[in-house]
Amino acid sequence: MVATLSCSASPAQPSVSQDIPPKAASVADPSVTEFLPATAKLIKELKMDFENNGVVVVVLAYASETRPIVETGVRVLKYGATGWAVDFEETDSVINGAGASDAINIEKVKGSSGKEGVVVVLKNSGAGTATEWHVLASIKTKIVKLDPTTIRDRVLKARGYVYMGYNGVTVHGDLVIEDLAGYSRGRARCCPDRPSIAIRSRFTGTSIKLESVKESPASPGGKLLFPLEPLDEGSE
């Protein structure tokens, strides 16, 4: 049995270049430093095929070397008639005393259709930690942001939990797994009082859907939980 709560795409900054031909084998990789803000540090670089059509793009995650407020960003580079150019960009900021390297991460997630997405993970770390994430995917040649907040909020509400941070995010194939500490309403942040849970969301290529919820750490005989009635909040 699989719950069908889904997360539909929310508008993101539109692409600034269109009708770009596939990258040829002879095309040299971009000079990454040319596409970073002057004060930014490159955190991670990925090569992606969003549409599973052979068009390879380069995704850069970067952050400023400032503390405690760290400016973060993701840029998608595509190759066109005039060479490499920024096709999409999003920016954010977090409070993280550990600096740039701890503030942002990107991971590749691949749907069963072969389409790929980028999981963007942002981490606030101060009086406790809180990790936020979303997926960048291509829908009708436009890069959009898939926000999992609705999925998480419904799972927590169904169990009488509240979100207090102390969570982590990992990617396995087409699954994005968020582990959360268990807090009852009114509980102090220092002291979770309920079982931790792992929310497993599946990337379809155009959306993210709730796959399952398990008590964490998961074990072969662990209890599989389906706290929600089937819900579809957006078409693929």
Side-chain angles (χ1 to χ4, degrees):
M1 179 179 180
V2 176
T4 58
L5 173 62
S6 68
C7 178
S8 58
S10 61
Q13 180 175 328
S15 298
V16 296
S17 58
Q18 298 180 3
D19 301 323
I20 298 173
K23 177 185 173 185
S26 60
V27 173
D29 290 341
S31 176
V32 171
T33 56
E34 296 178 6
F35 294 97
L36 294 177
T39 59
K41 172 184 177 181
L42 177 66
I43 304 302
K44 195 168 185 178
E45 174 183 348
L46 294 176
K47 291 185 178 180
M48 307 285 302
D49 184 351
F50 279 112
E51 295 284 356
N52 190 29
N53 61 359
V55 179
V56 177
V57 301
V58 175
V59 183
L60 308 176
Y62 63 86
S64 64
E65 288 282 22
T66 54
R67 303 180 190 185
I69 299 177
V70 181
E71 303 296 329
T72 65
V74 175
R75 287 182 174 176
V76 178
L77 311 182
K78 277 190 177 181
Y79 188 83
T82 59
W84 288 99
V86 177
D87 184 64
F88 171 88
E89 180 178 20
E90 66 173 17
T91 59
D92 213 316
S93 63
V94 297
I95 297 175
N96 194 308
S101 297
D102 192 52
I104 185 172
N105 185 33
I106 54 175
E107 297 288 348
K108 183 184 297 188
V109 61
K110 188 171 184 177
S112 59
S113 66
K115 295 184 65 172
E116 296 178 340
V118 179
V119 181
V120 180
V121 182
L122 302 173
K123 183 178 178 182
N124 284 277
S125 180
T129 64
T131 302
E132 300 297 335
W133 66 278
H134 59 272
V135 178
L136 298 179
S138 180
I139 300 179
K140 297 180 179 179
T141 72
K142 299 292 185 181
I143 297 176
V144 300
K145 175 180 175 180
L146 307 177
D147 188 343
T149 304
T150 300
I151 292 175
R152 182 174 66 196
D153 288 351
R154 289 293 303 273
V155 168
L156 295 181
K157 181 178 180 181
R159 295 175 61 80
Y161 280 34
V162 293
Y163 176 66
M164 297 285 281
Y166 291 105
N167 59 325
V169 176
T170 55
V171 180
H172 296 286
D174 63 350
L175 292 175
V176 184
I177 303 169
E178 182 174 8
D179 294 290
L180 298 105
Y183 290 93
S184 299
R185 299 186 186 281
R187 190 71 176 180
R189 194 176 187 188
C190 68
C191 310
D193 61 329
R194 304 284 296 278
S196 297
I197 58 173
I199 302 174
R200 299 160 60 93
S201 299
R202 187 174 300 278
F203 174 66
T204 69
T206 56
S207 66
I208 46 179
K209 292 187 173 184
L210 178 65
E211 173 71 12
S212 63
V213 183
K214 293 184 179 181
E215 291 188 357
S216 183
S219 63
K223 184 179 180 182
L224 179 60
L225 305 170
F226 294 97
L228 304 178
E229 295 180 356
L231 176 66
D232 191 345
E233 295 189 345
S235 64
E236 298 181 319

